[in-house]
Amino acid sequence: IGGITHTTEKWDYKKKINLANQFRTDVQEQRKDIIIDSTSYLVKRMGRGLYREMLREIEEDSTLSEQSLTLLNQNLTDRRYIAFARIENDITRNSRETEDVTDTEGKATGDKKLTTTTNRDMDINFFVYDIRNKYLAWNGLIKKSGSNSLDYHIEKKNGLVQFFDLITGSKQGSLDKKYPYPKKPSERYILSRAFSGFAQNLPEKD
């Protein structure tokens, strides 16, 4: 595993290594039939300086330079492929919905249920290089998303003004404070799903 980068967020080195380790773990879990080295193995063979340069190339250029491919070929003679990932998009969206609360007979009570939802969508680009032949063997974009929701019960007798605000969208700031949106799904959760999807797309071992 070569590692993972982000196009809009500047991660520190420690975070890049931690997520690269997660990348390896999730892929290995899906594909126990192949041997997958950790990023630490790559850093040890290449040196931290060269490794950082390769990550910069993936992050900024979405490709490895001819020089980096040559260095990989020279230093990883016992390995055939190396995989990198790059987060292209990471978007958070909030939404709010209301519905009538009903009694056991299905009749509206006049109360409302308010549901606030936070969605997170991520597009992750994967690159697999053939080290021996020094070329890009495979490239693909995997889209994954996740959401968290919170439910609030609003009683009609205490919430006539709030109902109006919810319908018209007025007093947005006060509504957000009283009925906050949940935290967005974690980065690790969505990336784990993407890494597993990547593993499932790998060809079967000959």
Side-chain angles (χ1 to χ4, degrees):
I1 296 297
I4 178 170
T5 65
H6 201 301
T7 56
T8 58
E9 291 185 13
K10 293 299 180 182
W11 292 343
D12 59 29
Y13 181 76
K14 183 178 179 181
K15 181 169 183 176
K16 289 178 180 178
I17 293 297
N18 286 340
L19 289 176
N21 288 335
Q22 181 190 345
F23 187 178
R24 175 188 178 275
T25 299
D26 290 335
V27 173
Q28 189 72 82
E29 229 173 68
Q30 295 287 328
R31 295 299 303 271
K32 293 182 172 60
D33 58 316
I34 56 179
I35 298 173
I36 303 173
D37 292 315
S38 68
T39 301
S40 299
Y41 174 83
L42 175 62
V43 174
K44 184 177 180 180
R45 297 291 291 270
M46 301 293 293
R48 185 175 292 192
L50 290 176
Y51 174 70
R52 285 178 182 269
E53 176 59 21
M54 284 192 294
L55 282 186
R56 185 200 64 76
E57 291 175 352
I58 293 294
E59 182 178 325
E60 297 179 6
D61 307 324
S62 73
T63 186
L64 288 179
S65 66
E66 196 65 41
Q67 181 182 5
S68 290
L69 287 172
T70 298
L71 289 170
L72 283 169
N73 175 269
Q74 293 171 348
N75 289 278
L76 299 178
T77 55
D78 54 346
R79 296 294 183 268
R80 180 67 186 272
Y81 298 103
I82 187 168
F84 292 89
R86 185 175 93 154
I87 298 175
E88 305 287 350
N89 292 301
D90 185 358
I91 300 170
T92 300
R93 296 175 290 109
N94 292 323
S95 62
R96 179 185 283 118
E97 295 182 354
T98 59
E99 62 178 274
D100 292 328
V101 174
T102 57
D103 58 22
T104 55
E105 297 179 350
K107 297 178 180 179
T109 64
D111 293 354
K112 297 285 185 180
K113 184 178 83 167
L114 169 65
T115 302
T116 60
T117 304
T118 300
N119 297 282
R120 187 173 188 175
D121 306 311
M122 296 180 75
D123 299 344
I124 302 97
N125 215 345
F126 290 88
F127 310 85
V128 178
Y129 285 90
D130 185 322
I131 299 171
R132 189 178 303 165
N133 297 301
K134 298 188 292 184
Y135 75 99
L136 180 64
W138 183 85
N139 171 229
L141 187 71
I142 294 178
K143 298 173 179 282
K144 293 295 180 182
S145 61
S147 65
N148 289 326
S149 297
L150 289 174
D151 290 330
Y152 301 95
H153 185 97
I154 305 174
E155 294 183 2
K156 183 179 179 181
K157 62 181 181 181
N158 296 324
L160 290 175
V161 175
Q162 294 172 28
F163 289 166
F164 176 78
D165 291 341
L166 289 171
I167 294 171
T168 62
S170 62
K171 298 185 179 179
Q172 187 69 37
S174 61
L175 285 175
D176 290 348
K177 187 174 181 179
K178 185 160 186 141
Y179 306 111
Y181 292 103
K183 291 182 179 180
K184 62 184 178 182
S186 72
E187 194 171 62
R188 284 185 173 273
Y189 167 74
I190 298 179
L191 284 177
S192 182
R193 297 179 63 206
F195 295 152
S196 296
F198 166 75
Q200 292 163 11
N201 278 290
L202 291 175
E204 292 299 320
K205 186 177 180 182
D206 295 334

